[in-house]
Amino acid sequence: MLFRSVKSYLDTIKNIYEQKGLKSFYRGYFSTSIRQSINQSLNLSVYYGIRNREDWVITPTNTLLLGMFSGSCGPIVNNSFDVVKTRFMNKRYNLKYKTMQCAFKDILKNEGIIYLLTSGLGLRILRVGLGQAIVFNIIEILIDNNV
């Protein structure tokens, strides 16, 4: 059994270290960093690229739509990477995949390219896109009020 009854946060850390080693604390760290870098660079580039055009009118509705659009670009571009990363990090597959490359090959072979490109995409677009729509509206309100 991986986890026994724990007494504290530190006991949990000690238990994980003893059972899985130091490497287990960082499983998925680099893949998550890559995914987030792609998401944020696309999000900010698209948003400010369109927002700073001379013909762009900043209104709450335009900001919501642009935030939703820019927030959706990252998930659309890197969804296949995120599917592989999620599968690789999922504890149900701990023994099945040694590397992300193994996970990618297995998913591509057994579930196909369409699954790889679209699995979970709708929910990611809703979550990330709507979140960015709200964030950019708050930013614009703060800018308008010189905060």
Side-chain angles (χ1 to χ4, degrees):
M1 182 173 178
L2 178 61
F3 298 103
R4 58 186 182 263
S5 178
V6 293
K7 300 173 195 139
S8 69
Y9 178 72
L10 292 176
D11 190 40
T12 302
I13 292 172
K14 181 181 173 192
N15 189 15
I16 293 170
Y17 179 76
E18 288 172 354
Q19 296 288 325
K20 294 286 209 162
L22 183 63
K23 191 176 178 181
S24 68
F25 289 105
Y26 296 97
R27 184 175 177 133
Y29 172 79
F30 292 108
S31 56
T32 301
S33 297
I34 291 168
R35 184 201 63 193
Q36 284 304 106
S37 297
I38 293 168
N39 279 350
Q40 293 309 311
S41 62
L42 281 170
N43 182 17
L44 295 171
S45 297
V46 169
Y47 182 82
Y48 285 106
I50 295 173
R51 179 200 182 271
N52 292 337
R53 290 177 43 158
E54 289 182 22
D55 61 339
W56 183 258
V57 179
I58 300 172
T59 66
T61 303
N62 284 351
T63 303
L64 278 172
L65 293 173
L66 181 54
M68 180 73 177
F69 175 71
S70 70
S72 299
C73 290
I76 289 169
V77 168
N78 71 11
N79 193 62
S80 59
F81 182 79
D82 197 49
V83 168
V84 173
K85 178 194 74 69
T86 301
R87 179 76 59 91
F88 175 69
M89 292 175 60
N90 189 321
K91 68 181 179 179
R92 287 187 301 178
Y93 299 97
N94 265 354
L95 301 175
K96 186 172 183 178
Y97 304 125
K98 297 293 182 201
T99 65
M100 283 188 59
Q101 185 178 11
C102 290
F104 173 77
K105 287 178 182 178
D106 184 66
I107 294 168
L108 190 58
K109 178 183 173 188
N110 295 318
E111 296 165 67
I113 189 73
I114 300 300
Y115 179 85
L116 203 55
L117 293 173
T118 61
S119 178
L121 184 60
L123 293 174
R124 282 189 70 213
I125 287 174
L126 281 174
R127 181 178 54 83
V128 177
L130 288 173
Q132 291 307 303
I134 293 167
V135 166
F136 283 124
N137 249 305
I138 292 169
I139 290 171
E140 295 297 344
I141 290 167
L142 293 173
I143 290 171
D144 283 349
N145 292 315
N146 296 318
V147 176

